Amino acid sequence: MAMAMAMASKLLLVLALLVAASTTEAKIPKRTNIQFYMHDIVGGPKPTAVRVAGRPGNFSSPDPIAAMFGSIFVMDNPLTVSPDPNSTVIGRAQGIYAMSSQKDEFSLLMTLTYEFISGRHNGSSFSVVGRNPVMREVREMPIVGGTGVFRLARGYCFARTYSMEQINAVIGYNVTVLHD
Ligand SMILES: *[C@@H]1O[C@H](CO)[C@@H](O)[C@H](O)[C@H]1NC(C)=O
Ligand SMILES: *[C@@H]1O[C@H](CO)[C@@H](O)[C@H](O)[C@H]1NC(C)=O
Ligand SMILES: *[C@@H]1O[C@H](CO)[C@@H](O)[C@H](O)[C@H]1NC(C)=O
Ligand SMILES: *[C@@H]1O[C@H](CO)[C@@H](O)[C@H](O)[C@H]1NC(C)=O
């Protein structure tokens, strides 16, 4: 009799746990797709990306990949709705990138936050950490987090160079974010 009661109370406990588990089931994340253009101005009187550390050498050195290896840049690049730099600015990409390949191809480690300052996502941001082999036609970088509407973000961006003038570039972004 005592044993039967102990078993019954164990059964009740298991049932209670099952009910508790089913009420905390995961929310389905929202999925947002965003497209914009980033303006990376390294040369000229008003650069948006500046080299803050590195060894002597530059992009015109005989072996530019080796010469630029170890260089660190801080950037604050505008994000616009179209490739025209004078089109509406919807945000800014701010952070640090480092020249992280010694040979074969230029590759950067990107550590950036993309913050929106107008439009639907105003005040929200997502963050990117990843490898960016800049000379490739399409680069994919992971989204590792976010704020505001992009809280708990994960996702990926495709970056394509739209145009290049000397070392200044316009980069098209196609972003997919899963978020809270
Ligand atoms: C770039 O580096 C080369 C040597 O590799 C040097 O002759 C040239 O003056 C440098 N250019 C600039 C703008 O620093
Ligand atoms: C953007 O606007 C500036 C100042 O109004 C102008 O000098 C420049 O030519 C414009 N650029 C383009 C690509 O239209
Ligand atoms: C974006 O949000 C900021 C802060 O909440 C606000 O001051 C600003 O007016 C907003 N801008 C636009 C264009 O909605
Ligand atoms: C953007 O990426 C999504 C998938 O990630 C794809 O379905 C869509 O066609 C892409 N758009 C452009 C303009 O590349």
Side-chain angles (χ1 to χ4, degrees), residues 141-156:
M141 288 172 279
I143 292 169
V144 297
T147 67
V149 296
F150 300 127
R151 250 171 231 163
L152 298 178
R154 59 205 163 86
Y156 54 92

Side-chain angles (χ1 to χ4, degrees), residues 57-58 60-62:
N58 55 50
S60 359
S61 300

Side-chain angles (χ1 to χ4, degrees), residues 3 7 46-47 53 58 65 94 99 105 111 118 124-125 145 147 152 154 161 172-173:
M3 215 167 112
M7 272 180 72
K46 283 170 80 179
N58 55 50
I65 296 174
Q94 300 177 332
M99 298 279 178
E105 62 175 355
T111 52
S118 75
S124 299
S125 72
T147 67
L152 298 178
R154 59 205 163 86
T161 304
Y173 269 80

Side-chain angles (χ1 to χ4, degrees), residues 10-173:
K10 262 191 195 145
L11 199 63
L12 278 175
L13 182 67
V14 168
L15 281 174
L17 286 176
L18 281 176
V19 169
S22 67
T23 56
T24 57
E25 81 186 41
K27 225 169 85 171
I28 294 168
K30 297 189 187 87
R31 191 185 186 95
T32 300
N33 184 253
I34 315 164
Q35 276 150 43
F36 54 77
Y37 292 84
M38 183 178 87
H39 302 267
D40 189 48
I41 302 158
V42 184
K46 283 170 80 179
T48 61
V50 294
R51 179 153 88 150
V52 295
R55 298 170 306 153
N58 55 50
F59 288 106
S60 359
S61 300
D63 181 354
I65 296 174
M68 294 303 288
F69 174 61
S71 292
I72 296 175
F73 291 75
V74 174
M75 66 169 246
D76 180 358
N77 286 355
L79 310 174
T80 58
V81 294
S82 86
D84 178 351
N86 291 340
S87 64
T88 306
V89 175
I90 56 160
R92 311 198 67 86
Q94 300 177 332
I96 297 172
Y97 61 88
M99 298 279 178
S100 54
S101 59
Q102 294 200 70
K103 57 190 180 86
D104 301 333
E105 62 175 355
F106 273 115
S107 174
L108 316 184
L109 169 67
M110 315 298 283
T111 52
L112 300 176
T113 298
Y114 295 69
E115 190 188 29
F116 293 91
I117 58 172
S118 75
R120 220 151 50 92
H121 313 300
N122 188 15
S124 299
S125 72
F126 62 80
S127 296
V128 164
V129 175
R131 181 172 188 268
N132 181 7
V134 280
M135 303 315 283
R136 292 195 202 168
E137 191 184 336
V138 183
R139 290 88 68 186
E140 181 179 348
M141 288 172 279
I143 292 169
V144 297
T147 67
V149 296
F150 300 127
R151 250 171 231 163
L152 298 178
R154 59 205 163 86
Y156 54 92
C157 334
F158 293 123
R160 283 185 181 80
T161 304
Y162 175 84
S163 66
M164 186 114 187
E165 239 176 79
Q166 291 168 358
I167 49 176
N168 301 329
V170 179
I171 317 285
Y173 269 80

